[in-house]
Amino acid sequence: MYAQMVKSEATKEDPAMLAAFQARIDAGEKIEPKDWMPEGYRKTLIRQIGQHAHSEIVGQLPEGNWISRAPTLERKAILLAKVQDEAGHGLYLYCAAETLGVSRDELTEMLLDGRMKYSSIFNYPTLTWADMGAVGWLVDGAAIMNQVPLQRTSFGPYARAMVRICKEESFHQRQGFDIMMKMANGTPAQKRMAQDALNRFWYPSLMMFGPSDKDSVHSSQSMAWKIKMNTNDELRQKFVDLTAPQAEFLGLSIPDEKLEWNEDKGGYDFSEPDWNEFYDVIQGNGPCNTDRIEARKAAWNDNAWVRDGMLAHAEKKRIQKEAAQ
Amino acid sequence: MTGFSKQWPLWEVFIRGQHGLSHRHVGSLHAVDAESAMKNARDVYTRRNEGVSIWVVEAAQITASSPSDKGPLYEPSESKVYRHPTFFEIPEEVGAM
């Protein structure tokens, strides 16, 4: 889940208009950018879609780390295509957010100065090649859990962006699982690397869904508006239920002694991640928070001359064309 | 911080998915001019053979109807049910028409 703990905004419009808006959502209608919407709906969506977009963009960094060191040319080409997709996903989402009246540059500014967040998962380092497997398999796997239901979200541009993203995301998870299979069936040292990657990424992946939200008022408002489709706990359970047998197939063990099939509930029992670690990471104290934001700032600032130069060149060509007419 | 003063214009992207189909809106992007909008559209929206032709249009050039015009725009056609073939009953023995 790329949007964690998105605070939903209170709204104080005319109750009749709010009721009519809610009735449209309940009837399954899509809300489009020019339609009337409560201010809270607009603000919550900007925050959620923005955080989601930032996660796609920052999410390129841990994987970009391995492009130059991929073990074969084929793996390098695949990883490059995957990272390019993440940039594309970020762009689809920024465009969806822009229809709500915020500019992409404003969103970028809010990321760089810390007013907006990205998913906690990207603050963990990718230490070995096996981490590329674990990220694709677990991190993209967890993202899919959240993104598939969001294809039915009430805001049209967000739902349509999600449809495009989901089509591409399946490649991401499969390429990760493929790396894990190769390593799990490789030499004992390669299998140990795969196990080590699973050990390090398991709990951070569970954290991606955010803390239990059964008592959260924000969650219930977002669910009524259909911008959040399932509770965090539902999605986390679904993720564990799908992933545990996959780990077994790989011959790897999930680092949780309490993980056990529970016949009564028809799902696995499992340990919660350390939520103190989660809060610490989103407050900026994860292993890579500083590096990630520094990298984004450097990309933005060091390339300002390219943005300005292209704009100046286009303006010059436009003036020349006008003069020639 | 530099570069927040002027943003690249917004362009809407339309793609013909296959020969014989019309262009369809797929999304938008930022670019300095039509030429670079076309290059960006290729990278952002057709990484997996999604199209055989691309149109890019500067978003500012598009005039859109407003949701509040829904009544005046579409109501007149709702009341003219005889425009639909199902309005007319044709006896079964006449056959397909």
Side-chain angles (χ1 to χ4, degrees):
Chain A
M1 186 162 178
Y2 284 174
Q4 295 160 321
M5 302 188 66
V6 175
K7 187 170 151 269
S8 101
E9 291 276 341
T11 218
K12 351 178 229 295
E13 279 99 346
D14 173 20
M17 289 185 83
L18 284 175
F21 179 78
Q22 189 61 50
R24 288 190 64 194
I25 288 183
D26 294 342
E29 278 184 41
K30 294 283 181 229
I31 307 302
E32 294 297 338
K34 288 182 129 193
D35 294 347
W36 183 86
M37 62 184 82
E39 220 21 57
Y41 179 85
R42 181 188 303 275
K43 283 188 183 157
T44 308
L45 267 177
I46 289 176
R47 190 174 292 151
Q48 179 173 330
I49 301 174
Q51 192 183 111
H52 196 157
H54 296 327
S55 298
E56 301 283 357
I57 297 298
V58 176
Q60 296 178 99
L61 297 169
E63 292 183 300
N65 184 34
W66 281 91
I67 290 174
S68 62
R69 291 175 288 162
T72 66
L73 186 57
E74 187 184 53
R75 291 285 184 199
K76 182 189 288 220
I78 292 171
L79 186 58
L80 203 54
K82 200 226 169 207
V83 172
Q84 191 191 14
D85 273 355
E86 306 297 0
H89 296 179
L91 293 178
Y92 307 154
L93 288 162
Y94 282 131
C95 288
E98 280 187 297
T99 66
L100 292 160
V102 63
S103 75
R104 190 170 83 191
D105 285 3
E106 280 170 318
L107 290 166
T108 303
E109 192 173 30
M110 288 192 271
L111 169 68
L112 298 186
D113 70 17
R115 273 178 292 159
M116 284 182 97
K117 304 252 178 255
Y118 54 89
S119 176
S120 56
I121 191 73
F122 302 117
N123 291 313
Y124 291 87
T126 45
L127 303 176
T128 73
W129 172 252
D131 289 8
M132 294 302 95
V135 166
W137 173 39
L138 301 173
V139 175
D140 289 279
I144 290 172
M145 290 288 126
N146 175 48
Q147 290 170 340
V148 167
L150 277 176
Q151 293 177 96
R152 292 177 285 112
T153 189
S154 62
F155 187 57
Y158 192 25
R160 293 190 285 271
M162 258 17 271
V163 170
R164 296 189 66 87
I165 289 175
C166 285
K167 270 191 204 156
E168 300 177 350
E169 203 75 66
S170 174
F171 145 60
H172 297 179
Q173 191 184 15
R174 283 169 169 233
Q175 67 87 34
F177 193 72
D178 187 63
I179 294 174
M180 291 307 267
M181 277 197 297
K182 201 78 175 176
M183 299 203 71
N185 294 310
T187 64
Q190 286 170 327
K191 188 169 183 180
R192 274 197 304 277
M193 279 169 74
Q195 180 64 54
D196 168 63
L198 171 57
N199 291 349
R200 283 181 290 107
F201 277 94
W202 177 251
Y203 287 105
S205 298
L206 294 187
M207 290 178 201
M208 286 174 69
F209 299 96
S212 180
D213 51 7
K214 49 185 180 288
D215 307 318
S216 162
V217 278
H218 296 308
S219 263
S220 56
Q221 176 61 80
S222 287
M223 287 183 82
W225 278 336
K226 291 194 188 159
I227 55 183
K228 184 178 169 82
M229 309 299 285
N230 306 86
T231 68
N232 297 348
D233 291 325
E234 276 167 17
L235 293 171
R236 187 167 18 247
Q237 181 71 51
K238 211 172 154 196
F239 173 73
V240 173
D241 291 347
L242 278 172
T243 312
Q246 294 166 354
E248 204 173 313
F249 174 86
L250 291 171
L252 301 177
S253 45
I254 288 174
D256 179 0
E257 284 174 5
K258 288 192 189 142
L259 186 87
E260 202 182 359
W261 178 256
N262 179 333
E263 195 61 48
D264 294 338
K265 75 169 179 185
Y268 284 86
D269 290 329
F270 58 94
S271 305
E272 292 271 311
D274 176 358
W275 291 113
N276 291 327
E277 177 183 319
F278 170 75
Y279 288 114
D280 212 30
V281 171
I282 59 172
Q283 272 153 26
N285 304 318
C288 300
N289 295 59
T290 313
D291 284 357
R292 300 297 185 230
I293 285 297
E294 286 309 315
R296 291 312 308 152
K297 280 185 181 163
W300 184 255
N301 293 331
D302 296 352
N303 295 312
W305 68 274
V306 179
R307 293 193 299 277
D308 294 343
M310 286 187 72
L311 206 54
H313 183 64
E315 182 65 9
K316 189 180 80 182
K317 277 200 304 184
R318 192 184 63 77
I319 290 168
Q320 280 171 350
K321 202 176 156 194
E322 274 178 12
Q325 274 167 2
Chain B
M1 196 145 307
T2 51
F4 284 111
S5 48
K6 197 162 182 216
Q7 184 166 263
W8 290 359
L10 190 67
W11 297 73
E12 298 297 333
V13 182
F14 300 80
I15 290 178
R16 185 197 299 284
Q18 290 171 36
H19 290 288
L21 296 183
S22 42
H23 285 74
R24 202 173 145 206
H25 183 244
V26 293
S28 50
L29 49 78
H30 288 276
V32 290
D33 57 15
E35 197 190 335
S36 62
M38 188 62 82
K39 282 185 188 148
N40 290 355
R42 184 235 159 260
D43 286 345
V44 180
Y45 292 106
T46 63
R47 288 193 302 282
R48 289 179 176 77
N49 285 324
E50 285 95 337
V52 294
S53 160
I54 302 173
W55 287 350
V56 289
V57 184
E58 204 174 341
Q61 301 294 324
I62 293 178
T63 309
S65 65
S66 140
S68 59
D69 293 341
K70 217 167 151 186
L73 280 179
Y74 309 118
E75 195 286 321
S77 65
E78 272 169 29
S79 59
K80 294 176 182 65
V81 286
Y82 44 80
R83 285 185 167 172
H84 295 281
T86 46
F87 178 78
F88 305 94
E89 266 186 45
I90 303 293
E92 228 170 81
E93 50 266 44
V94 178
M97 184 179 283

